[in-house]
């Protein structure tokens, strides 16, 4: 088969959807299939594997001229997204989409764009990796967006996500939470969504864990870490507040924050204002996250909303004690008290108390990580993930995979 993997999000990227798409493409090619990868960049859309670029500035003047006279121009976030989405639609229309046996999109925005220009006979699978509307709600409630036309913002993203999900032949969700949300928000039929969790290449991951880097654990300290985007919905501000309380009673720890994002400077300032300047290390975006996991004692995912972050999977497979918030799909990833700990979302006091407990009781912390690793190598099996994904491909296309 010839398959197109597509996303509205920026690729290549150290985090997010890119590692999933890259590995899926690799495994499909190993089975003899031809795979193209289409995605976003700041200045262009591109077919990554063919190094073909479609420069946005070639398309944007015409689109902006049209949108400037529509209600969408009343909100800067909506306007930018719609310009970018329409550019994606125009560039996708030049790709000869009829050549593909399957198009697998990794978000609702790309699904909507491609659905409008693909031939009817080409099946489309949409694979949202989170709730787009949920993120917008959270950003509005937290006052993290410019205060203008929130009604337009909400209506636009609600309509865009709904149409993206329903315009596909089928949808795939990594968590039962996401399937439930799609049903509640958009009345997506249960039969339209298949649920199965992600998987990782544990053999490769374990090999990468043992490749040294410049990270060194300070003497007599344990490592608390987080890896992911530095944005509001990831709850890093909650973790920093918990660490501030933790420092008042013990100093036998260091926190490593790995990643980049729009809020990074804000978190650096918060750490400084809380007196955590020497206790929190900002490592930036890294390609050697497995090595950091190998040195981690407690991994924390304090998100306000999250579907099924790869970093939690990696932490469990690495044998770390994991603390996740109760938000969204995170509680599905751990058995509380057995393979991890679940704390209430946006509750820095509860997070502080559980961090203190795990630092205090070494045996319990170590056993928690060991059990997480034992269960995780099966729960997050790449062989299981590929089996389920390829079975879904075959069901949608009617062709062997």
């Amino acid at each position: 088969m010839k398959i197109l993997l597509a996303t509205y999000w920026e690729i290549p990227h150290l985090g997010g959807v890119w590692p999933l798409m890259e590995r899926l493409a690799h495994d499909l090619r190993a089975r003899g299939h031809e795979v193209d990868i289409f995605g976003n960049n700041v200045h262009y859309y591109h077919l990554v594997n063919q190094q073909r670029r479609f420069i946005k500035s070639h398309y944007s003047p015409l689109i902006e001229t049209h949108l400037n006279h529509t209600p969408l121009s009343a909100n800067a976030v909506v306007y930018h997204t719609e310009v970018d989405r329409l550019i994606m639609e125009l560039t996708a229309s030049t790709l000869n989409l009829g050549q593909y046996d399957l198009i697998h999109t990794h978000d609702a925005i790309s699904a909507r764009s491609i659905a409008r220009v693909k031939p009817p006979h080409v099946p489309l699978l949409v694979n949202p990796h989170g709730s787009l509307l949920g993120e917008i709600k959270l950003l509005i409630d937290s006052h993290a967006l410019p205060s203008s036309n929130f009604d337009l913002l909400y209506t636009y993203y609600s309509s865009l996500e709904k149409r993206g999900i329903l315009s596909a032949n089928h949808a795939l969700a990594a968590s039962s939470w996401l399937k439930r949300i799609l049903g509640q928000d958009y009345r997506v039929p249960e039969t339209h969504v298949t649920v199965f969790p992600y998987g990782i290449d544990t053999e490769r991951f374990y090999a990468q864990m043992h490749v040294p880097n410049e990270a060194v654990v300070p003497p007599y300290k344990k490592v608390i870490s987080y890896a992911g985007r530095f944005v509001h919905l990831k709850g890093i501000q909650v973790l920093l507040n918990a660490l501030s309380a933790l420092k008042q009673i013990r100093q036998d720890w260091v926190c490593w924050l790995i990643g980049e994002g729009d809020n990074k400077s804000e978190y650096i300032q918060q750490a400084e204002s809380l007196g955590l300047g020497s206790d929190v290390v900002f490592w930036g975006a890294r390609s050697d996250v497995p090595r950091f996991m190998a040195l981690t004692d407690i991994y924390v995912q304090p998100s306000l909303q999250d579907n099924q972050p790869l970093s939690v999977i990696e932490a469990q497979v690495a044998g770390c004690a994991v603390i996740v918030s109760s938000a969204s799909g995170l509680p599905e990833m751990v058995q509380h008290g057995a393979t991890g700990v679940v704390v209430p979302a946006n509750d820095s006091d509860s997070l502080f108390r559980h961090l203190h407990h795990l630092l205090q009781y070494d045996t319990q912390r170590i056993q928690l990580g060991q059990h997480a690793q034992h269960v995780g190598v099966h729960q997050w099996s790449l062989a299981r993930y590929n089996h389920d994904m390829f079975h879904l491909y075959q069901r949608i296309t009617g062709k062997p995979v």
Side-chain angles (χ1 to χ4, degrees), residues 378-389:
H378 301 287
Q379 182 178 2
W380 310 117
S381 163
L382 179 60
R384 186 269 315 150
Y385 175 84
N386 283 346
H387 174 271
D388 292 344
M389 181 65 77

Side-chain angles (χ1 to χ4, degrees), residues 218-349:
Y220 310 110
K221 290 185 183 286
K222 298 180 179 70
V223 176
I224 301 166
S225 71
Y226 161 85
R229 289 184 294 156
F230 282 47
V231 293
H232 178 79
L233 63 89
K234 292 295 185 179
I236 300 171
Q237 64 278 5
V238 180
L239 173 58
L240 291 174
N241 285 330
L243 294 175
S244 177
L246 186 65
K247 186 176 180 179
Q248 304 309 310
I249 60 173
R250 62 190 311 146
Q251 292 82 44
D252 58 340
W253 55 271
V254 64
C255 181
W256 292 347
L257 299 181
I258 305 145
E260 292 287 348
D262 295 341
N263 290 28
K264 182 179 179 180
S265 60
E266 174 187 324
Y267 296 140
I268 293 174
Q269 292 175 6
Q270 182 184 357
E272 291 289 344
S273 67
L274 292 172
L276 299 172
S278 61
D279 306 291
V280 177
V281 181
F282 291 84
W283 285 96
R286 305 287 302 212
S287 60
D288 53 355
V289 172
R291 180 58 184 168
F292 284 94
M293 292 298 184
L295 301 175
T296 293
D297 296 284
I298 304 172
Y299 179 82
V300 181
Q301 191 74 29
S303 305
L304 307 180
Q305 177 181 295
D306 228 328
N307 182 31
Q308 196 172 89
L310 182 62
S311 54
V312 174
I313 295 174
E314 292 178 334
Q316 289 183 313
V317 170
C320 306
V322 173
I323 301 178
V324 301
S325 78
S326 60
S328 314
L330 289 172
E332 297 177 39
M333 303 184 73
V334 303
Q335 302 170 35
H336 179 68
T339 63
V341 175
V342 181
V343 300
N346 203 20
D347 187 340
S348 59
D349 183 62

Side-chain angles (χ1 to χ4, degrees), residues 99-215:
Q99 67 182 300
Y100 296 106
D101 298 289
L102 173 69
I103 300 174
H104 180 173
T105 59
H106 286 262
D107 60 274
I109 300 176
S110 62
R112 180 56 183 161
S113 299
I114 289 176
R116 285 166 49 88
V117 295
K118 76 172 183 67
H121 73 274
V122 178
L124 176 65
L125 173 66
V126 61
N127 191 173
H129 297 283
S131 169
L132 182 60
L133 182 59
E135 292 193 17
I136 294 299
K137 287 179 181 176
L138 187 61
L139 292 173
I140 291 175
D141 292 343
S142 65
H143 308 290
L145 290 174
S147 56
S148 62
N149 286 291
F150 284 158
D151 288 343
L152 173 60
L153 190 71
Y154 182 88
T155 301
Y156 171 79
Y157 279 100
S158 175
S159 174
L160 184 56
E161 185 168 45
K162 178 180 181 179
R163 292 180 180 183
I165 299 298
L166 292 176
S167 61
N169 297 83
H170 198 73
L172 170 63
S175 68
S176 297
W177 164 79
L178 184 55
K179 178 175 181 175
R180 184 169 63 253
I181 287 298
L182 295 177
Q184 291 173 356
D185 288 348
Y186 308 126
R187 297 184 180 180
V188 176
E190 284 196 10
T191 55
H192 189 73
V193 185
T194 296
V195 177
F196 60 81
Y198 299 133
I200 69 169
D201 185 342
T202 53
E203 184 175 338
R204 180 185 179 193
F205 181 80
Y206 285 138
Q208 293 173 331
M209 283 177 61
H210 293 95
V211 178
N213 62 10
E214 70 271 30

